[in-house]
Structures are given as C-alpha cells and as structure tokens.
Amino acid sequence: MDRRRPLEKLSSTTCAPHPTVLSRKMVSHPDIAPNDHKAYMLYALDQARLSLPSPSKFCVGAALVDADKNEVLSTGYSEELPRDRPSDPGSTHAEHCCFIKVGDGHGISDFDIAKVLPTNTVLYTTMEPCNERLSGNKTCVERILGLGDAIKVVYVGIREPDTFIKENEGIKRLEAAGVKVVLLDDDEDLRGKILEVTFAGHVRGK
C-alpha cells in the first residue's frame, strides 16, 4: 500500500520561534504550520547540513515533534553528539541524538524517554532509519522500537542508499512492528535536496 501523503503548502503566517528546553539550555525552533510535513522535513534537512561531510557516513538530520501541540521537542544530525556513550558504543546517528537530548533534558537515559514523550510524538528524518550497522552497534530502528508505542509516525525523506548497507529494511521492520511510516520521496525537489546533503563528502559518479 502506498503510504505517501500529499504535501501541504508552507504557511504564509510566521510567528516568533518557540523555545524548547534541551540539555539545560533554551533552543529556538522555527514556527511551522500544523501537518506541514515538507516544512518539517526541510527543517530536519537544515540539521543534516550541520553534519561534517565525510565519505564514511551519510549526513542525516532529524526532528522529534509533538504533533498535537505542533512543537519541536528536539533535533539531531549525524555525529552531532560524542560517540561511545556509557553501555552504548558507536557513533551517534541523527535520530539517536534527538533521543539523547530529550533524555538529558529530563535527567534520564535516552532508553527511558518513552515515559516523558507526549502522546502523539512523531519523528521526521531525512533518511530511512538504519536497521543494520556495519559496526554491529544498536540501530535506529531498535532505538525507535525500544520506546514501545511512544513514536506514532515516522516521516522519511528518502530510503537509505545502498552505499554501505545493500538492503536496509528499516521501513519494512518499523511497519511490521506497527509504526506508521510516511515516505515523502514523491517530491522531486525535496528528494534532490536531501540527496545532495546526504552524500556531502562522497565522490559520486565514479
């Protein structure tokens, strides 16, 4: 079944950015119209642009959102936060960084944030959450599912290219577990922008 949804136009009304308390500091986010999935994905893409380009990884961005209040809870990008956290080895992916920030803001582990997430929490990520890592470390799909039903919907910009993992079944596994996944790759302009940022630092076409 095609789970893609039509994208709504950006709001012509702008308001003052609303703040979020994360890791004991105030972070401001842009005001985005409710259910404007493209705008939220573009905001996640803004995060991806902050990731240091490298041929050994993708530059991915993510945003965790309270869909009922239309508020950004946290954002993250590839390797934004230090790697090898206690009992959790490996580099930090964009989605993981979102979870860490929520946990830090409440003084709890990112594994325990389900109890503090709003009822209708959704995740925007520029690329399909990983279901396999060459390092063998915990995947983003495992982290999402480890929160139970705390994350209701995952909006995905593009499927993971086969550069490192030949067949990532992140979307398939999330859907099999009952998580709704909405793939936004039918917008060619958005898809092109995401791919450009995703492959920053890669030598392509050879």
Side-chain angles (χ1 to χ4, degrees), residues 145 149 151-152 172-181:
L145 297 182
D149 63 352
I151 296 180
K152 301 296 188 292
K172 181 178 179 181
R173 186 176 173 191
L174 288 172
E175 290 181 329
V179 178
K180 182 179 180 181
V181 178

Side-chain angles (χ1 to χ4, degrees), residues 19-36:
T20 299
V21 178
L22 291 173
S23 302
R24 294 176 292 280
K25 65 181 180 180
M26 300 298 289
V27 178
S28 292
H29 304 289
D31 186 78
I32 297 175
N35 299 314
D36 193 337

Side-chain angles (χ1 to χ4, degrees), residues 40-53:
Y40 272 117
M41 190 60 70
L42 286 171
Y43 186 47
L45 184 59
D46 286 342
Q47 310 311 307
R49 289 190 175 98
L50 300 174
S51 183
L52 184 67

Side-chain angles (χ1 to χ4, degrees), residues 74-147:
S74 64
T75 61
Y77 58 85
S78 303
E79 298 186 355
E80 177 184 6
L81 300 176
R83 59 179 296 128
D84 297 327
R85 292 170 61 81
S87 302
D88 194 6
S91 60
T92 52
H93 287 192
E95 301 93 328
H96 186 197
C97 290
C98 286
F99 300 163
I100 291 171
K101 290 178 184 179
V102 171
D104 286 354
H106 289 84
I108 60 176
S109 166
D110 57 285
F111 295 116
D112 299 324
I113 63 172
K115 60 187 177 184
V116 299
L117 289 176
T119 302
N120 193 16
T121 298
V122 302
L123 175 68
Y124 291 84
T125 178
T126 57
M127 194 175 75
E128 177 179 14
C130 65
N131 185 49
E132 180 181 350
R133 296 181 67 170
L134 295 177
S135 63
N137 295 324
K138 196 175 187 70
T139 68
C140 292
V141 167
E142 289 173 325
R143 295 180 191 282
I144 293 169
L145 297 182
L147 298 175

Side-chain angles (χ1 to χ4, degrees), residues 134-193:
L134 295 177
S135 63
N137 295 324
K138 196 175 187 70
T139 68
C140 292
V141 167
E142 289 173 325
R143 295 180 191 282
I144 293 169
L145 297 182
L147 298 175
D149 63 352
I151 296 180
K152 301 296 188 292
V153 186
V154 177
Y155 294 91
V156 175
I158 60 170
R159 293 184 182 274
E160 180 179 351
D162 64 1
T163 306
F164 305 117
I165 301 296
K166 292 307 176 185
E167 187 175 358
N168 179 24
E169 296 187 337
I171 290 177
K172 181 178 179 181
R173 186 176 173 191
L174 288 172
E175 290 181 329
V179 178
K180 182 179 180 181
V181 178
V182 180
L183 187 61
L184 303 180
D185 68 346
D186 56 346
D187 185 309
E188 291 299 326
D189 177 64
L190 178 62
R191 176 180 170 80
K193 290 177 179 177

